[in-house]
Amino acid sequence: MKKKQPRNQNQSKTQDKESSSLKLGDMLNQDIMSQLRQKQKELNDVEQEKKAAEEEKKREERKRREKNKSFEELLGESNLNWKNYK
């Protein structure tokens, strides 16, 4: 049987320390980072516009339903106690 040769662990530890100390921002060019930040901002803006459009659509739907309610439905939703006014 072959004896196991000790691996050079010092070299791997040094590489791990170097790779852990480097951040993504350090590895990337500043120009690329600014482009990524700009793209993130654009995506956030699009997301906010979608949410606003969806809320507006819901608001319009509620108005339309409220407009088409019958007198019975409106009376049923009323909080007033009509017995007090007899």
Side-chain angles (χ1 to χ4, degrees), residues 28-41:
L28 294 177
N29 185 335
Q30 289 295 341
D31 187 36
I32 294 172
M33 286 297 291
S34 64
Q35 289 175 354
L36 288 172
R37 286 187 185 116
Q38 181 66 24
K39 187 67 172 176
Q40 183 182 19
K41 183 181 177 193

Side-chain angles (χ1 to χ4, degrees), residues 49-67:
E49 289 174 7
K50 283 182 183 180
K51 285 181 182 181
E54 186 176 321
E55 288 177 11
E56 183 65 28
K57 185 178 178 182
K58 286 181 182 180
R59 195 175 309 121
E60 291 295 323
E61 179 66 23
R62 271 188 264 127
K63 282 184 182 180
R64 187 184 61 76
R65 275 190 272 133
E66 186 72 28
K67 187 177 179 181

